[in-house]
Amino acid sequence: MATIQRSNTKVANRLINYAEKRAEVREGVNCPAEYAKSQMKATRALWGKSEGIQAHHIIQSFKPGEVTPEIANEIGRDLAKEVAKGHECVVYTHTDKDHIHNHIVINSVNYENGLKYNASKEELYRIREINDRLCKERDLSVVKEYSSPTRYTLAEKALLEKGEVSWKDEIRQVIDYEKEHSKTYEQFKQNLTEKYGIEVHERGKNVTFSHPDNGRKVRGSKLGNSYEKEMLKNEFTREIEQTKGEPNQERGNTNLSGSEKQQREGTGIDRSVERNERSQRFDEGVHQNEHGQVSGRESDLRHRNRQYQGDKQTSDRSNAFDFDEARKSLEQQRANVAKGFNKFTQRDEAEQQPNSSKNGGNRERSQSAHERNEKAHEDRDREHDKKSKPKLERSRTKDFEIDR
């Protein structure tokens, strides 16, 4: 059995360096493994597509004990030849985990035509089909269903190995907790928003959750099959039907056979075990840690609940409206407005009186200055006439003598 995971990177050399360090077996497809970095880089530069996504990454994991490193690498090379024709690929086989797995690095640019690798969902399904066929040809087991109750990305798995919790897992834990403590789907969504600040957005068949701290969004299908919209709604629907059916069974089905009783009891036990498994991680985080102290997550949840209750009480108190108090406040506001208006009117009149006297003095001064200017102009004109009159008489005398 071999499972498939796919991702991409904008720094191909970093991915190759990681895969080379722990590789037990390494083989290239359409390029030597020793010169993979330089050859892939040259192909991208030749077609002018060095920016953006540089390589695609396929992780092919095998069931423990089914294959050897050499067989695993051979299967990985056969897979790369079919799913990435015309692309340089290198298959690195690791044995550092309890299961053997391949890291298949695919150059993003086709060296034959310069086209970029197609990384669509349809292509992912095709990769899985080819992977299953290659496993069957070697009498290996095949994964029957790829949908899982919980889906972890490579980054989440790396955090889990370090003992850390990702922001997606925090959303999963809150959802698991509220599924156990909510009676309906609508109450479940309301509790997520009001208690924890997780926004729930629905569009068609999809539901999206927003983390309250970083604002990042994730679809329920990305969290796992148990967190999809239809699965969540169906779970609450089953709870309601089971609750309604219990009294009828006690009154009307008292003569059930032993096998039917065992079957019904077994169904209820299976459903309870399934719910307990989904909420186990959250219950461990909500209760005490190994030192006997309350964990940070429980403290955070209690803080959110106290804040929610406090806001609710404050809202209830604010809804009690006192009409007498409001009437007094309104009358006081009117008195303050009237008092302020009177002060403003008096101040404005006081400011206007000195301004009017100042304006009158300015007009008198400007009028007297104008009269002085006119008198000066008249004096200059008379002096000019006195000086120009003798010159005119002398000019006339000269003209008369010339004529004679």
Side-chain angles (χ1 to χ4, degrees):
M1 178 181 68
T3 60
I4 294 294
Q5 289 180 308
R6 188 185 64 181
S7 61
N8 55 60
T9 178
K10 293 184 178 180
V11 186
N13 289 350
R14 186 183 302 169
L15 174 60
I16 294 175
N17 290 337
Y18 166 78
E20 279 183 337
K21 287 181 180 178
R22 306 176 183 180
E24 182 77 16
V25 182
R26 59 177 66 84
E27 292 291 340
V29 177
N30 298 325
C31 75
E34 296 79 6
Y35 306 104
K37 288 190 286 188
S38 58
Q39 186 166 333
M40 290 182 180
K41 182 179 179 181
T43 300
R44 293 192 298 267
L46 177 63
W47 293 98
K49 296 182 178 180
S50 299
E51 302 296 329
I53 295 174
Q54 294 184 350
H56 295 268
H57 184 201
I58 296 177
I59 298 179
Q60 186 183 33
S61 303
F62 296 91
K63 185 177 179 180
E66 271 198 342
V67 294
T68 62
E70 291 75 18
I71 295 177
N73 191 273
E74 179 185 351
I75 297 174
R77 280 182 279 130
D78 291 343
L79 179 65
K81 291 176 183 178
E82 293 199 39
V83 303
K85 296 178 180 179
H87 293 262
E88 294 106 340
C89 307
V90 184
V91 181
Y92 301 94
T93 304
H94 289 194
T95 59
D96 55 337
K97 306 291 183 182
D98 57 351
H99 61 280
I100 296 175
H101 58 280
N102 290 328
H103 291 269
I104 305 174
V105 180
I106 303 172
N107 194 14
S108 62
V109 180
N110 189 308
Y111 65 85
E112 294 178 344
N113 53 29
L115 297 178
K116 282 214 165 186
Y117 179 77
N118 179 23
S120 62
K121 282 188 177 181
E122 291 76 11
E123 181 64 16
L124 176 60
Y125 298 146
R126 192 176 77 91
I127 293 173
R128 287 173 173 170
E129 291 176 359
I130 296 173
N131 175 70
D132 292 344
R133 175 171 56 80
L134 294 174
C135 290
K136 288 180 179 179
E137 292 175 356
R138 293 168 173 81
D139 295 329
L140 302 179
S141 58
V142 177
V143 178
K144 295 182 179 180
E145 186 178 357
Y146 281 97
S147 60
S148 58
T150 303
R151 295 191 181 98
Y152 290 102
T153 62
L154 296 177
E156 288 182 277
K157 290 180 179 179
L159 290 175
L160 289 174
E161 291 176 359
K162 297 178 182 178
E164 301 177 3
V165 179
S166 66
W167 63 272
K168 290 183 182 178
D169 215 28
E170 290 178 350
I171 293 179
R172 290 189 188 96
Q173 292 170 357
V174 172
I175 291 175
D176 291 339
Y177 182 81
E178 283 303 325
K179 281 195 295 187
E180 298 296 324
H181 296 81
S182 301
K183 296 181 180 179
T184 64
Y185 179 67
E186 296 300 325
Q187 184 184 4
F188 163 76
K189 294 191 298 181
Q190 184 178 358
N191 289 344
L192 290 182
T193 303
E194 295 183 355
K195 291 184 178 180
Y196 310 97
I198 299 176
E199 298 292 336
V200 182
H201 307 279
E202 294 181 281
R203 185 176 180 180
K205 297 181 179 180
N206 299 317
V207 59
T208 303
F209 304 96
S210 299
H211 195 276
D213 297 333
N214 55 32
R216 300 179 68 177
K217 299 179 181 180
V218 61
R219 279 189 177 184
S221 58
K222 297 296 183 182
L223 298 176
N225 190 40
S226 300
Y227 304 93
E228 295 179 357
K229 180 179 178 180
E230 293 300 324
M231 293 295 294
L232 291 172
K233 296 183 73 173
N234 290 339
E235 190 163 338
F236 286 105
T237 303
R238 289 197 301 268
E239 291 291 336
I240 294 174
E241 291 177 353
Q242 182 181 5
T243 304
K244 289 182 179 179
E246 286 176 356
N248 296 332
Q249 291 176 2
E250 292 178 0
R251 290 195 299 268
N253 298 330
T254 55
N255 296 325
L256 290 175
S257 64
S259 61
E260 290 176 343
K261 288 182 180 180
Q262 291 177 358
Q263 183 177 2
R264 294 190 177 217
E265 291 175 356
T267 304
I269 293 173
D270 292 341
R271 187 179 294 110
S272 177
V273 170
E274 181 182 357
R275 278 198 302 268
N276 291 336
E277 289 178 352
R278 286 197 305 270
S279 61
Q280 182 177 4
R281 294 190 307 275
F282 183 74
D283 291 339
E284 292 176 355
V286 170
H287 293 84
Q288 291 183 346
N289 58 19
E290 60 184 1
H291 299 291
Q293 298 174 346
V294 178
S295 66
R297 179 165 289 104
E298 180 186 8
S299 177
D300 181 60
L301 293 176
R302 288 182 177 178
H303 174 71
R304 291 178 186 268
N305 283 327
R306 286 197 299 269
Q307 185 177 5
Y308 168 71
Q309 296 295 336
D311 293 342
K312 187 175 180 181
Q313 293 177 0
T314 304
S315 176
D316 295 339
R317 288 196 299 269
S318 62
N319 290 334
F321 189 77
D322 192 344
F323 287 96
D324 294 335
E325 192 68 26
R327 191 179 294 107
K328 292 179 182 179
S329 176
L330 181 60
E331 291 176 355
Q332 183 66 30
Q333 291 179 5
R334 289 177 178 175
N336 293 336
V337 171
K339 184 177 180 181
F341 180 75
N342 292 334
K343 289 182 179 180
F344 174 77
T345 304
Q346 295 174 1
R347 186 174 65 252
D348 187 44
E349 291 176 352
E351 290 177 353
Q352 289 179 0
Q353 288 177 358
N355 289 337
S356 61
S357 60
K358 290 179 181 179
N359 293 334
N362 292 335
R363 283 196 297 272
E364 292 177 357
R365 285 194 295 271
S366 62
Q367 184 175 0
S368 60
H370 180 67
E371 292 176 353
R372 287 195 301 270
N373 290 335
E374 287 184 351
K375 187 176 180 181
H377 283 297
E378 291 176 356
D379 293 340
R380 283 196 299 270
D381 291 341
R382 282 195 295 270
E383 291 178 0
H384 180 70
D385 292 340
K386 289 179 181 180
K387 292 178 181 180
S388 61
K389 188 174 182 180
K391 292 180 181 180
L392 182 59
E393 290 179 354
R394 286 195 299 270
S395 175
R396 288 178 180 178
T397 303
K398 289 180 180 180
D399 293 338
F400 178 74
E401 290 178 353
I402 292 171
D403 293 337
R404 290 182 63 185

